[in-house]
Amino acid sequence: MKENKMKFDVTFHPSWWNEKLGISFSEEFFDNPRYRIESDLRMRKFFFEKFGKWGIGEETPSPRPLLGSDLIASGYLFSQLLGCEVRFGENIPPEVLSAGLTDDEAAGFIAPNIKESPLWQKVEEQISWLLKEYGQVHSALNLQGVLNLALDLRGESIFIDMYQDKNLAERLLNQCFELLASSGKRLSDVSYSLSGGVTAITNSLDMTGLYVHSNCSVEMVSLENYRDFLQEYDIRLSGMFQPYGIHHCGQSMEHVVGGYAAVPELSFAEVGAGSDIETVRKFLPDCWLNLRYSPVRLAKVEAKELKEELRDMYRQAGGKGSETSISCVGIDSSVPDRQVDLFLEIAKELGDS
């Protein structure tokens, strides 16, 4: 296999797995490691049966000591730790409900010390069980960025705070960072993998211990606001965790990439579907780029168009498999299997070219 062979993957929505295999994503999936690992074995084997010819899945998978899951997207735990209510369902990802903190509540908010958090102690119980059973932990928790968490706590008011009460905004964001820093350090102490729950492609990269967090909501702020309120936390996380990466699933990453480019030692960036890849690559010339393709687009795109679009995305990123990968994430049953096959076939052709 060529060293610069481009990597690619697909990730499915919980509803797809529930429909195909009857996997339930109720609270038990996330809290019961035995059930989760049994489900993971079935999911990976089914992957092989459906898409194995493209190098997806495993014919005879072995159990993995999973904390969380890298086969679905499920960013909820850190918001729950901060006090947000979470709703679980059999065929949906965990749904975080905004805590809707008032001005006074936000001004006095203090993030929990994970050593004293009953909820985190449940995570520790899973870690202990995994270490006892397997001797190691594979963390696939969906790591978050500070704005994602502040938005869950404060709702849309966090954006108003940035203009009307800078001190309040900064204080709340800092408390969110404190939780991310302490939990990230603990996970890095026990797990050989950290970021599969943010983006599964990281499992196949040669970046041991890569820490990637989700900056989904940064799409909603200006470059100026990113620099004024958020950049310092990405810089601090990069200083704490190496190698380091940022997930930006928004469709215009180019509008803040100048801010990301100022984060030292940024090794990995996930580029949201619809973003100007050429501009992103210009600002991040030495960074691994994982390019997202829209599952909504995949549902109906014709083969010729898909091939042209994937080739163009790859070209804009520099056309080097040693620094580029492509993913389609969030695929549900509205996307026919033939379209998934087509995506994987074209991606494999690109990797082999």
Side-chain angles (χ1 to χ4, degrees), residues 50-88:
K50 296 284 287 184
F51 308 115
K53 59 185 174 181
W54 312 119
I56 300 292
E58 299 162 61
E59 186 173 12
T60 55
S62 299
R64 298 190 296 168
L66 279 172
L67 185 65
S69 176
D70 52 18
L71 296 181
I72 60 168
S74 56
Y76 76 96
L77 176 63
F78 300 98
S79 298
Q80 189 179 34
L81 283 164
L82 290 171
C84 294
E85 181 184 350
V86 176
R87 290 178 181 170
F88 295 87

Side-chain angles (χ1 to χ4, degrees), residues 17 19 23-24 31 63 66 74 110 138 144 146 154-155 170 190 198 212 235 237 257 264 291 294 322:
W17 289 111
E19 178 181 316
I23 303 293
S24 170
D31 290 352
L66 279 172
S74 56
I110 299 176
H138 178 123
Q144 295 294 309
V146 292
R154 182 78 164 128
E170 289 178 340
V190 298
V198 177
V212 179
I235 291 172
L237 287 171
V257 71
L291 314 177
S294 167
S322 58

Side-chain angles (χ1 to χ4, degrees), residues 33 36 65-67 120-138 186-187 190:
R36 182 172 58 251
L66 279 172
L67 185 65
W120 185 262
Q121 293 316 303
K122 292 183 179 180
V123 176
E124 290 289 349
E125 289 172 8
Q126 292 195 53
I127 290 172
S128 296
W129 187 88
L130 293 169
L131 289 173
K132 180 179 178 181
E133 291 291 317
Y134 299 99
Q136 56 186 341
V137 177
H138 178 123
R186 173 57 179 155
L187 293 172
V190 298

